[in-house]
Amino acid sequence: MDPTKLRSYSWFNGKEYYNFSRRANIRALGISRQAFHGKPVVGICNSFSELNNCNAHLRQVADAVKRGVWAAGGFPLEFPVISLGEQYMKPTTMLFRNLMAMDVEESIRANPLDGVVLLCGCDKTTPAMLMGAASADVPALILTGGPTLSGNYKGRIIGQGTDGRKIFDLFRTGQVSPEQLEEIEGCMVRSSGHCTVMGTASTMAIIAEALGMSLPGSAAIPAPDSRRLAMAEMAGRRMVEMIAEGLKPSRILTREAFENAITVDMAIGGSTNAVVHLLAIAGRTPNKLALADFDTISRRTPFLVNVRPSGEFMMEDFFYAGGVPAVMRELLPLLHREALTVNGKTIEENVAQAPNHNHDVIRSASNPIYDEGGTVVLQGNLSPNGAVFKQTAASPHLCKHTGPAYVFESYQQMHDTIDSMDLPIDANTVLVMKGGGPHGAPGFPEWGHIPMPKVLLEQGISDCVRISDARMSGTSFGTVVLHVSPESGIGGPLAIVQNGDLITLDVEARQLHLHVSDEEIAQRLAAWKPAPPHFTRGYGKLFLSHVTQSHLGCDFDFLHAE
Ligand code: FES
């Protein structure tokens, strides 16, 4: 590798004072001149944090990456970026995804880095890394932290989120005791790593691999498995080669790569959040996506992966069955086979011989779980710019349903009254919640999985149609319409729905219809008044001033690629 061609060359080489000073400051780390001089500098962008248990093991992963970089003749430098821990951050990590993406982009751009390995895992950290890397456009490779081990309570496999919610509903109705709940608390999340069902983190790790931005076979390796560290070492080695090859994200994140990622997302029954994140990542490139692209691809893609919440198994089982390469092999006729990946090979070269060790977990394309993909896009007068629905996690008998609305004007009202035995609702009711969008909430939180009202649970009714402009955790399930756009907080039609209005959900026809005349909707909207903004200063004000609606990815308008 010609050192004069390296991006870092101008920082450390030359006859100026600052070249000398920078070399002196590298040596302040206890590094000899021979160890770094003229070598490619590999940044290890680490979202480790003890405030984010999902990413808490990433320092060990970073050490393995460094080993690979040193072995391949590079010079590794690890640096932190903000970490977004799904479990703790308020009001929602989604408020900060764009901030993290800016941190990633500017940290890469401002520093003497020839390439970067990006360590992430928890829900928003992977899309933020992809967004930042796409904009910075220096050689970049995503390495996710892997899922946790499956939870296990007295021999019963339990997945964080998916089973946790079911268990908590049993606790709410007295079928699980406080003592049992405390015991379950200790055996549900058994290690660092991201949620071990097909939640947003697993989905985004798989999407990074499907895009070609991660090494093949890396997404599903469990976090504590020694093979994840071996993969990290390989990532470090490979990054040194990528720098020599000049293999940048702009060569990988093509229109074809995005279509491949959506196809895989549909086949795995991925989280609905993937729609927003993929729109945002693509928005950082010239290859923009539209919400309609997801529905077009969903219609032609079979649902193959039998992992919770849409299926039975866990991410650990998915890994043992063959992981992403096995799914992509099944999907090859639907994929752009020539799409380039970070290992320098095409998708087809990577997956053509991938074995499938368990056809119960990863079905063959000729024997799918469902003929269409997991996520569909709904249109109608209630969501003029679209809404998102996970059909594989919904109750089939509710996928064509008309019922009267019962409206929660805010999350707080829903939270305060959902367990009231006086709620005037029944199995036909369509629950509507306002104020869950990027402006209204603020930050577009995962409030869309409105808990089942106690009054229905006690009648043995476990699902009903629920509609909001919020998101939903990828670990959740139910007949839940999400991401209604435009949101109620800026005066979308959701803002004027009233108790008793009839609403039709027709998934096959992709329809979401409010049975109120256009004239009546216009009159109600004319009388509607927005709430005061949630923020008048700081990052929150920046967010409210520039965030786009969900059908555009909720990135900041000034961060879109020109
Ligand atoms: Fe971090 Fe689920 S809480 S991935």
Side-chain angles (χ1 to χ4, degrees), residues 52-55 84-87 121-124 160 193-196 199-202 473 475:
N52 183 355
N53 59 293
C54 308
N55 294 14
L84 309 179
E86 203 62 30
Q87 297 293 331
C122 195
D123 289 18
K124 307 302 177 298
Q160 186 178 5
H194 60 72
C195 291
T196 183
T200 304
S202 299
S473 163
T475 63

Side-chain angles (χ1 to χ4, degrees), residues 138-172:
V138 305
L141 187 158
I142 297 281
L143 181 64
T144 50
T148 64
L149 298 174
S150 302
N152 192 311
Y153 175 61
K154 296 184 174 169
R156 180 184 156 193
I157 298 296
I158 50 176
Q160 186 178 5
T162 303
D163 298 288
R165 283 187 176 81
K166 288 179 186 163
I167 290 164
F168 201 77
D169 276 347
L170 294 175
F171 171 69
R172 284 168 66 209

Side-chain angles (χ1 to χ4, degrees), residues 289-460:
L289 292 172
L291 211 46
D293 293 321
F294 291 82
D295 204 64
T296 304
I297 293 174
S298 177
R299 286 183 189 272
R300 68 176 185 228
T301 306
F303 169 44
L304 302 179
V305 174
N306 191 6
V307 170
R308 299 177 201 186
S310 297
E312 298 169 55
F313 295 95
M314 308 293 272
M315 282 298 288
E316 219 179 313
D317 306 305
F318 177 64
F319 171 60
Y320 302 138
V324 182
V327 179
M328 293 188 83
R329 182 182 180 178
E330 291 295 339
L331 295 171
L332 265 181
L334 297 174
L335 296 176
H336 299 285
R337 299 160 181 238
E338 298 305 314
L340 186 61
T341 73
V342 284
N343 71 350
K345 296 183 179 164
T346 65
I347 289 286
E348 181 166 25
E349 288 169 332
N350 285 339
V351 309
Q353 303 304 321
N356 182 345
H357 303 294
N358 189 335
H359 284 87
D360 289 334
V361 179
I362 302 172
R363 296 279 194 92
S364 63
S366 57
N367 181 31
I369 303 165
Y370 195 72
D371 287 335
E372 287 189 355
T375 306
V376 304
V377 176
L378 305 171
Q379 297 284 350
N381 65 349
L382 192 49
S383 57
N385 291 333
V388 164
F389 184 77
K390 190 168 181 177
Q391 61 179 344
T392 48
S395 301
H397 73 282
L398 290 170
C399 285
K400 185 166 185 175
H401 179 84
T402 299
Y406 182 80
V407 178
F408 299 106
E409 292 294 333
S410 66
Y411 173 79
Q412 196 60 47
Q413 185 199 353
M414 183 280 292
H415 182 266
D416 293 347
T417 59
I418 196 73
D419 278 348
S420 164
M421 299 306 282
D422 298 330
L423 277 187
I425 60 174
D426 60 27
N428 272 330
T429 304
V430 174
L431 298 180
V432 171
M433 188 178 71
K434 303 177 185 177
H439 286 257
F444 204 19
E446 292 185 337
W447 292 345
H449 187 256
I450 302 167
M452 278 302 291
K454 202 167 176 180
V455 65
L456 297 185
L457 285 176
E458 298 223 334
Q459 293 170 41

